[in-house]
Amino acid sequence: MVAWIGSQTVPLPDAIEQVAKLLAKSRCPVFSIESDVHGSRSLIALAERVGATYDHVNGRNLLQEVALHTDIGGFFATATEVRRRADLIIIVGDIAAAHHDLLLSLASTAADLSSSSRRRWLQIKGKAPAAASEPLRRLKAIEVGSSDFPIDAVLGSLRAMLAGRKTSAPLANIDTFLSEMASARFPVFVFSHLNDPASLAMLQGMLADINRARRATALFLPSDDDAWGMVLASTWMTGFPPRTGFSTGSPIHDPWLCDIERMIADKEADLHLWVSERDEARPPKRSQVPTVALVRSERPAAGALVTVRIGKAGLDHDGVVYSSRIGTLRSVAATAPSALPSVYAIVGQLEHALQGEGLPS
């Protein structure tokens, strides 16, 4: 176990004691979290105890995906249901590379609860789409849309045409899209990178229209499964997604007020606890507030008051993560067990040390 106060190597208990003192003195601590479900749960509980505000390390990128569920809502299925029922799969936009294997597995199986003997594939594309990767080319999906229009405009035109309305937008393979939708028993729209509200709203509006007469749904594949696990942990613990704070004692969710980057820039925060299990991930080098770093690095984080080296769930120790493949949480066993402590273990020691600083448990 390795820990540093500044650049000086110290025993782990000394580092824990120093962090506990910093947390006890802080009037407005903020937590940036990137851990498995166990680690996220423990850090959120610690945030409640010390009155901290918390967000994911990549909270800005996660915000739009969270907004899909908090602001818009809609029709969703799990990958398991899609595998068993979908006879037509429509990919919307680009899919995160982490999910290409899932799409290929869907292509290699048939829906056992459908009368169709094979799945058909379409892909809706808009302006400036990314070049298709080799795995996605193997799906042989028929492309629908136009490179002249953004994806929300393409979705709007398709929605109008499905409702029997005319549009002036010239879209490629529109007749194929309408024909496949008419014959499909259970169409599923798969998406990952729809990060603008207009596209999300138009897609769910299309699904609402279709579901007035028959079934259709969407499969949401988050760009980062680990981050989505943290979102779920936050929601079941507080009722809110990340960008939530306990400054009043009760959880308050506000995407602007609880924006940690903004809080640091505006000098509202006075202590930053930055946690990431990703290899060599580091907190911002020139942070404007005192920083405590829990990282995988073998060196102290530049500028951090305290650095603790941690293990990674599924590598150094067992853990629990979100899996898009099954649509829920799953356990992961350590593939290379080590003595490095888990985030959950470190937070447990911090909770104990805070009792000596006069903070109630």
Side-chain angles (χ1 to χ4, degrees):
M1 297 182 185
V2 181
W4 299 266
I5 295 179
S7 59
Q8 183 70 38
T9 302
V10 298
L12 180 60
D14 291 356
I16 294 293
E17 182 180 355
Q18 181 65 20
V19 176
K21 289 180 179 179
L22 292 169
L23 286 171
K25 293 178 180 178
S26 175
R27 301 295 298 274
C28 187
V30 293
F31 293 2
S32 295
I33 303 172
E34 188 172 33
S35 182
D36 78 322
V37 172
H38 285 325
S40 297
R41 288 176 59 195
S42 63
L43 285 164
I44 294 170
L46 178 63
E48 181 177 15
R49 183 175 181 183
V50 301
T53 295
Y54 68 88
D55 193 8
H56 191 267
V57 166
N58 297 316
R60 191 170 298 279
N61 296 330
L62 191 61
L63 185 63
Q64 293 294 344
E65 292 186 351
V66 170
L68 167 65
H69 295 78
T70 58
D71 297 348
I72 299 172
F75 296 87
F76 298 99
T78 65
T80 300
E81 184 177 13
V82 172
R83 182 177 291 108
R84 300 203 66 188
R85 295 183 182 277
D87 56 346
L88 174 63
I89 295 181
I90 307 101
I91 301 171
V92 183
D94 300 312
I95 302 297
H99 302 301
H100 289 180
D101 286 345
L102 171 59
L103 296 181
L104 291 175
S105 73
L106 291 174
S108 65
T109 60
D112 60 343
L113 296 182
S114 171
S115 59
S116 177
S117 61
R118 65 180 182 87
R119 298 190 207 278
R120 288 102 64 203
W121 292 80
L122 303 174
Q123 183 169 17
I124 298 173
K125 289 193 172 185
K127 185 180 292 184
S133 65
E134 179 58 31
L136 290 187
R137 279 196 291 267
R138 286 158 56 187
L139 297 176
K140 298 181 179 179
I142 298 173
E143 295 185 4
V144 179
S146 172
S147 60
D148 296 328
F149 302 101
I151 191 72
D152 59 331
V154 173
L155 288 169
S157 294
L158 294 175
R159 180 183 179 186
M161 291 180 185
L162 283 175
R165 300 183 179 93
K166 294 181 179 181
T167 71
S168 59
L171 303 181
N173 296 314
I174 182 60
D175 291 337
T176 300
F177 173 79
L178 295 175
S179 173
E180 291 286 7
M181 288 295 297
S183 62
R185 300 290 298 275
F186 194 77
V188 175
F189 293 77
V190 181
F191 70 98
S192 177
H193 284 315
L194 289 184
N195 285 338
D196 62 288
S199 296
L200 298 173
M202 195 57 66
L203 174 60
Q204 289 299 335
M206 183 192 304
L207 286 167
D209 294 345
I210 297 170
N211 273 276
R212 290 192 177 96
R214 57 196 177 94
R215 294 188 66 190
T217 191
L219 174 62
F220 166 61
L221 299 176
S223 56
D224 184 339
D225 274 10
D226 292 340
W228 199 249
M230 188 261 192
V231 171
L232 296 180
S234 173
T235 303
W236 81 61
M237 291 182 70
T238 69
F240 300 110
R243 295 205 173 184
T244 294
F246 294 95
S247 59
T248 64
S250 299
I252 296 176
H253 172 67
D254 188 313
W256 181 85
L257 186 68
C258 298
D259 180 351
I260 288 177
E261 291 183 8
R262 184 202 61 78
M263 293 178 70
I264 292 175
D266 291 349
K267 300 182 179 180
E268 294 178 11
D270 61 3
L271 181 66
H272 190 189
L273 176 60
W274 196 92
V275 183
S276 178
E277 295 184 9
R278 293 194 188 274
D279 294 337
E280 296 302 321
R282 295 295 189 93
K285 290 184 178 181
R286 294 180 176 84
S287 178
Q288 301 179 43
V289 299
T291 301
V292 173
L294 273 59
V295 294
R296 300 245 322 133
S297 174
E298 297 180 357
R299 301 179 302 278
L305 295 181
V306 182
T307 304
V308 177
R309 188 182 178 196
I310 56 174
K312 182 176 182 178
L315 180 66
D316 300 286
H317 58 84
D318 297 345
V320 175
V321 298
Y322 177 77
S323 170
S324 292
R325 185 173 286 270
I326 59 176
T328 187
L329 306 180
R330 68 180 180 93
S331 61
V332 289
T335 57
S338 74
L340 291 174
S342 66
V343 171
Y344 177 83
I346 293 296
V347 174
Q349 295 180 54
L350 276 174
E351 292 274 11
H352 180 74
L354 284 170
Q355 295 179 9
E357 298 298 326
L359 285 180
S361 59

